[in-house]
Amino acid sequence: MMPWNDLLRLHKQDPDCRIAALFAADPDRAERFSRLFDGMLFDFSKTSLDDARLTALIALTEACDLPARREAMFRGEKINTTEDRAVLHTALRAPEGTKVLVDGQDVMPEVLETRARMARFATDVRSGAFTGAGGRITDVINIGIGGSDLGPVMGTLALAPYCDGPRVHFVSNVDGAQIHDTLAGLDPATTLVIVGSKTFTTVETMTNAATARAWMGRCVADPAAQFVALSTSEDKTAAFGIPPERVFGFEDWVGGRYSMWGPIGLSLMLAIGPDDFDAFLQGGAAMDAHFRDTPAAENLPVLLALVGIWHHQICGYPTRAVLPYEQRLTRLPAYLQQLEMESNGKSVALDGSALNGPSGPVVWGEPGTNGQHAFYQLIHQGTSIVPCEFLLGARGHEPELAHHHRLLAANCLAQSEALMRGRPYEAALKEAHAAGLTGPRAETLARHRTFTGNRPSTTLIYDLLTPYRLGQIVALYEHRVFAEGVILGINSFDQWGVELGKELATALRPILEGQESAVAKDGSTRQLVAFIRAAHS
Ligand code: F6P
């Protein structure tokens, strides 16, 4: 408890410590509270951390023995204790020559073989050597949900400038509207369908897969020939009718939300090609090496975790916003929502006891500058403090539109500056007077136009969003979640909280179909069932 108490005490000593004053007192603050690693700069100087607070946060990592837990993960120990599994998504991006043992068995030969099979298949599809009934594959549909969707869709959008393969579409929702609208524009004879599901039982995915197969079967004699499966469950993929040569398997030590590096990333590989996919893996592997070998005070994922802990567990800020000033990272907030909230949204510690304090925070966000014209009002003047995590590429991929990019960057920098500096009442009053207002009217308006400032943010800045850079960013956040989970005593790799809703949905289906009565349900559920049934009658 000592480091937690120290942190609470340090916060209590000066809860309203002005970040701007920290800068005024220390001309080197920006540099001292930033870390540069492999082309990316993490600047956490616009937070209320000072030397003592950072030292106490680092003591937390020692108290929970983060280095030993980290080693246990990389070494393939079964740290996902509730599912008795190792946690080895890092093996999926490990370079050739690495050895990773699970139960005494090196898993790397199989990982590398699957990686090579994926690359051969992707090359064949992209070159036209693999065809559909109507010739060259023009479109790929990835059917999957959660971790079997968010990583590939986020990555494909992020790396649009590198996409030179078939068009890739994503269907996740069981809402028939999504598959309907996706299939509407496609030719079944030149479409490849990827069914990505770790378990191959997820009802949304299996329902969409069956619909896609029926659609293809209406004009293609052998639809299974244009289906690919990505799963840990070969018997289920066989039962669905997909032959082993088009099944790309992986092991249960890859968590769904950590799976875009292996077979689940096939749609991304098809879009950008095996070489760029390799660069993505290399970026992830570089972050792995950094996370594994770097002391806490210099370690980007650890520092990101510590800033998060400071804001949520110590300062009590309930949410954090992820704000990429990079339109192509439009799905990064959604991706991080699953990564962070499914991993660390728990009330029970590893040993089964109740968690002592808050679990991971609510994570949300949107790309800038769009968010500025939507919810930034609350971030600047609302009563709730929202720590903001800005991401920014120093350059864009469109040199001919460099003036757009300068505006984008100026806006990103302006937001973190405005959040920190604010605008005092006196300045707002002066402005009101300058605009010709006087007396109570000027004072009232000045109060509306006052910004309290002192709102914390961090900025992750890098040169250009390349495949390598995206790999670094995703691995950075993965390890941040792990470090945060270890410090909080959470198992970040199970997700029991999603089960109850699934069970109840299964039970509600026959009720909605009218085969069973809703009488045992609560009044609200009965009312909603009645409304739906009435709409169908
Ligand atoms: O319901 C949650 C979840 O299990 C996620 O953890 C997972 O990413 C998603 O469903 C999809 O699971 P699967 O890949 O097995 O279809």
Side-chain angles (χ1 to χ4, degrees):
M1 277 311 280
M2 271 297 284
W4 287 109
N5 290 339
D6 286 348
L7 282 162
L8 291 168
R9 181 179 48 76
L10 286 166
H11 179 246
K12 212 166 152 198
Q13 270 171 8
D14 193 2
D16 303 318
C17 143
R18 299 291 300 182
I19 303 168
L22 296 176
F23 274 98
D26 176 4
D28 298 328
R29 178 172 174 80
E31 204 177 318
R32 292 201 315 108
F33 290 86
S34 296
R35 299 292 181 270
L36 182 65
F37 164 66
D38 197 11
M40 53 168 49
L41 179 76
F42 175 54
D43 180 345
F44 57 103
S45 59
K46 290 194 189 98
T47 66
S48 58
L49 290 181
D50 58 13
D51 288 318
R53 290 168 171 184
L54 186 56
T55 305
L57 283 167
I58 289 170
L60 271 186
T61 67
E62 288 149 16
C64 68
D65 210 356
L66 177 61
R69 303 271 303 144
R70 183 174 59 196
E71 261 322 283
M73 175 176 76
F74 279 104
R75 283 218 193 103
E77 286 176 32
K78 297 196 174 171
I79 62 165
N80 176 359
T81 46
T82 58
E83 297 179 317
D84 194 29
R85 289 174 184 168
V87 173
L88 276 178
H89 46 281
T90 50
L92 295 179
R93 56 202 184 219
E96 283 184 40
T98 313
K99 211 170 176 172
V100 183
L101 300 181
V102 176
D103 292 330
Q105 187 88 22
D106 185 5
V107 301
M108 284 311 293
E110 207 176 318
V111 167
L112 294 175
E113 203 209 302
T114 305
R115 200 186 288 169
R117 279 185 59 223
M118 285 169 64
R120 280 198 298 276
F121 180 69
T123 304
D124 285 352
V125 172
R126 287 164 55 87
S127 69
F130 177 95
T131 57
R136 192 186 188 99
I137 296 294
T138 55
D139 294 88
V140 174
I141 309 174
N142 184 84
I143 297 179
I145 195 165
S148 300
D149 167 69
L150 286 164
V153 74
M154 180 276 292
T156 306
L157 290 168
L159 299 178
Y162 301 85
C163 289
D164 53 6
R167 289 179 292 263
V168 181
H169 313 264
F170 293 88
V171 173
S172 52
N173 203 320
V174 77
D175 183 343
Q178 193 181 21
I179 194 150
H180 172 272
D181 292 356
T182 305
L183 298 180
L186 301 183
D187 175 359
T190 57
T191 297
L192 179 75
V193 177
I194 299 177
V195 185
S197 174
K198 179 176 167 180
T199 54
F200 230 69
T201 56
T202 304
V203 69
E204 291 93 332
T205 301
M206 300 326 295
T207 305
N208 280 320
T211 300
R213 189 173 52 188
W215 166 78
M216 195 173 276
R218 285 198 279 278
C219 79
V220 169
D222 181 13
Q226 286 172 227
F227 268 68
V228 171
L230 320 171
S231 182
T232 55
S233 176
E234 273 182 34
D235 49 337
K236 295 200 177 72
T237 56
F240 189 82
I242 303 180
E245 64 270 20
R246 279 195 313 286
V247 176
F248 298 90
F250 53 105
E251 298 297 325
D252 67 4
W253 38 256
V254 182
R257 54 195 174 274
Y258 299 85
S259 64
M260 69 178 295
W261 311 93
I264 292 295
L266 182 64
S267 51
L268 175 60
M269 189 192 265
L270 284 161
I272 63 176
D275 290 346
D276 282 334
F277 192 82
D278 252 1
F280 167 69
L281 297 187
Q282 283 164 26
M287 188 55 74
D288 291 342
H290 168 78
F291 177 56
R292 193 171 184 176
D293 300 333
T294 310
E298 302 299 321
N299 192 310
L300 254 58
V302 174
L303 288 166
L304 222 68
L306 294 178
V307 172
I309 300 252
W310 173 253
H311 287 148
H312 187 52
Q313 275 76 16
I314 305 299
C315 301
Y317 306 144
T319 77
R320 68 170 162 245
V322 187
L323 307 167
Y325 276 66
E326 182 91 70
Q327 178 59 29
R328 293 192 177 108
L329 287 179
T330 184
R331 293 297 278 162
L332 183 71
Y335 175 81
L336 292 180
Q337 280 181 329
Q338 186 196 16
L339 183 64
E340 304 210 13
M341 292 162 77
E342 202 171 71
S343 297
N344 288 343
K346 318 270 167 75
S347 317
V348 172
L350 267 164
D351 63 3
S353 61
L355 222 56
N356 273 330
S359 66
V362 171
V363 177
W364 58 285
E366 267 287 304
T369 57
N370 292 5
Q372 289 176 206
H373 300 271
F375 53 79
Y376 277 41
Q377 164 64 40
L378 183 149
I379 292 184
H380 283 288
Q381 287 191 315
T383 51
S384 191
I385 304 282
V386 181
C388 295
E389 297 188 354
F390 296 101
L391 289 98
L392 175 67
R395 289 190 291 134
H397 279 89
E398 298 75 24
E400 72 286 7
L401 298 176
H403 59 297
H404 283 250
H405 196 270
R406 272 192 297 277
L407 270 175
L408 178 77
N411 270 278
C412 180
L413 271 48
Q415 290 303 323
S416 69
E417 187 185 351
L419 285 167
M420 177 179 73
R421 279 181 32 180
R423 178 164 55 203
Y425 171 75
E426 295 70 30
L429 188 62
K430 220 166 146 188
E431 279 181 17
H433 288 154
L437 295 178
T438 54
R441 271 201 75 199
E443 287 161 19
T444 301
L445 186 65
R447 275 194 290 278
H448 284 281
R449 293 176 51 110
T450 296
F451 291 67
T452 54
N454 211 30
R455 296 179 181 229
S457 69
T458 61
T459 302
L460 182 72
I461 188 163
Y462 44 86
D463 50 358
L464 184 70
L465 188 61
T466 59
Y468 181 88
R469 195 68 66 206
L470 183 71
Q472 279 182 318
I473 292 173
V474 175
L476 167 67
Y477 275 96
E478 284 180 352
H479 292 319
R480 181 250 193 107
V481 167
F482 171 71
E484 235 176 67
V486 170
I487 293 167
L488 299 176
I490 285 174
N491 176 7
S492 302
F493 302 103
D494 61 11
Q495 57 284 318
W496 299 107
V498 300
E499 296 302 326
L500 181 58
K502 288 184 191 173
E503 281 165 31
L504 293 180
T506 307
L508 271 160
R509 203 168 154 175
I511 296 176
L512 287 177
E513 283 165 356
Q515 290 157 8
E516 285 179 23
S517 152
V519 68
K521 295 288 175 190
D522 60 85
S524 163
T525 307
R526 279 204 308 274
Q527 170 177 265
L528 296 170
V529 165
F531 194 100
I532 295 169
R533 280 200 196 157
H536 285 271
S537 59

